[in-house]
Amino acid sequence: MSAISRFGTLLGLIAIVALFSALSPGSFAQASNLINITQQMSLLAIVALGATFVMSLSEFDLSVGAVVSMSGIVSVSLFALGWGIVPTIAITLLAGFAVGCASGFLIATWRMPSFIMTLAMGTIIGGITFWASGGATLFGSIPDGFRNLGRGYLAGIPVLTLWALTTTVFAALVLDHTEPGRRMLAIGGNREAARLTGVRIVPTSVLAFGLCTLLAALAGLLLTARLGSAHPTGGAGFLLQAYAAVFLGMTAFRDGQPNAAGTLVGAAIIAVVANGLTILGVPNYLQDIFTGLIIIGAVLVRNIGHSER
């Protein structure tokens, strides 16, 4: 893999930043705005890093948006019942992890298509979340200590940015430096070959799907902490952009393989484009069109790279 291929996506991000800086030097190019972008992309990056685990299996989990919403509703509901911060976070993360484990078990054991299985699981979770909240935004009695998890700065860096960086390090360590992570990549590369070499498909798949929805639940908690409320469809917007970030990341650093650093760069590209277009006054619907074009472009680059090997 050449240096241009390895770092091309990162250079593309730098070029996009330079372009918007030239078009709007008085707004976009300000240090405060660039720091703000890192905060804006943090939740998307966390959800996308979770999706990276599943994409390492060459599978999809379409329930991540529903799990983000569920996480917020569960946490606010528990706070309303008088639960403390630590048990509320623990139960919410456990619930998110359980959703992914259930999907992963059914997919790996019964060879159900992940696209269909997780779409159904997301629909079920979304329905339960809507029922539990009555379809309304919940405010509850959210403690100030919990709100601080998604707000404020530490050493001049937004707390949410630090969460995204920490999650990136975690995902990179699991995928690149642990046996389960290497098994995930082996299954994604060639499932049958991985099985024949002794890789246990079911537990590895269950773990990958569990980690995916665990990080989605974490993003839901941080979103709730930041907003001070939870909406039953608050996580719906993460699904498409999270996979766009993963696909973009697959064109960076490695030859078509999901990786944590690439996913972070992918999330940054989406956030920079959204921020830059907003500053330039481009309507939201055009931003959606650009996001869709970015996804198509990333998939084309990945497929062209494969066809040339």
Side-chain angles (χ1 to χ4, degrees):
M1 188 179 186
S2 67
I4 294 179
S5 298
R6 184 182 296 273
F7 299 107
T9 306
L10 181 60
L11 293 174
L13 171 61
I14 295 172
I16 293 171
V17 171
L19 174 63
F20 282 122
S21 297
L23 293 175
S24 182
S27 299
F28 181 87
Q30 298 300 308
S32 58
N33 183 56
L34 296 178
I35 293 175
N36 185 47
I37 289 174
T38 67
Q39 181 172 239
Q40 291 174 342
M41 62 174 274
S42 57
L43 297 178
L44 169 62
I46 292 172
V47 178
L49 286 164
T52 304
F53 289 112
V54 173
M55 287 292 291
S56 297
L57 301 172
S58 293
E59 302 281 7
F60 288 91
D61 189 334
L62 303 185
S63 70
V64 291
V67 173
V68 172
S69 303
M70 178 200 75
S71 175
I73 295 299
V74 168
S75 61
V76 175
S77 298
L78 293 178
F79 284 135
L81 293 173
W83 285 48
I85 296 175
V86 173
T88 294
I89 291 176
I91 291 298
T92 304
L93 293 178
L94 183 62
F97 185 68
V99 170
C101 288
S103 297
F105 179 79
L106 293 172
I107 291 167
T109 303
W110 301 101
R111 300 300 304 272
M112 299 177 69
S114 61
F115 191 89
I116 301 300
M117 178 61 219
T118 56
L119 180 63
M121 183 64 79
T123 303
I124 293 170
I125 296 300
I128 293 174
T129 302
F130 197 86
W131 166 76
S133 65
T137 299
L138 300 184
F139 295 93
S141 304
I142 301 176
D144 289 338
F146 179 77
R147 293 171 186 259
N148 292 336
L149 295 176
R151 298 179 179 180
Y153 294 78
L154 187 63
I157 303 174
V159 171
L160 285 178
T161 303
L162 296 175
W163 276 106
L165 292 175
T166 303
T167 307
T168 302
V169 172
F170 167 75
L173 288 174
V174 172
L175 283 174
D176 299 336
H177 300 287
T178 69
E179 188 172 337
R182 289 191 286 269
R183 288 177 176 175
M184 292 174 198
L185 294 170
I187 294 173
N190 189 319
R191 178 188 175 95
E192 187 60 20
R195 187 185 68 79
L196 292 174
T197 55
V199 174
R200 299 174 65 193
I201 303 296
V202 174
T204 304
S205 299
V206 168
L207 178 61
F209 277 90
L211 288 174
C212 176
T213 49
L214 174 69
L215 293 187
L218 173 62
L221 284 171
L222 295 175
L223 178 64
T224 303
R226 182 183 182 187
L227 299 178
S229 63
H231 190 275
T233 61
F238 286 103
L239 176 60
L240 179 61
Q241 293 194 339
Y243 282 97
V246 179
F247 271 113
L248 281 168
M250 290 170 68
T251 65
F253 307 125
R254 296 182 186 173
D255 197 7
Q257 190 178 65
N259 64 93
T263 297
L264 186 66
V265 172
I269 290 175
I270 293 172
V272 167
V273 169
N275 181 275
L277 293 177
T278 299
I279 288 177
L280 294 177
V282 176
N284 288 335
Y285 68 88
L286 283 179
Q287 296 183 28
D288 292 338
I289 292 175
F290 278 116
T291 301
L293 291 174
I294 288 173
I295 296 172
I296 293 173
V299 174
L300 284 175
V301 169
R302 175 175 176 267
N303 289 345
I304 290 173
H306 281 184
S307 65
E308 290 179 346
R309 290 204 300 269

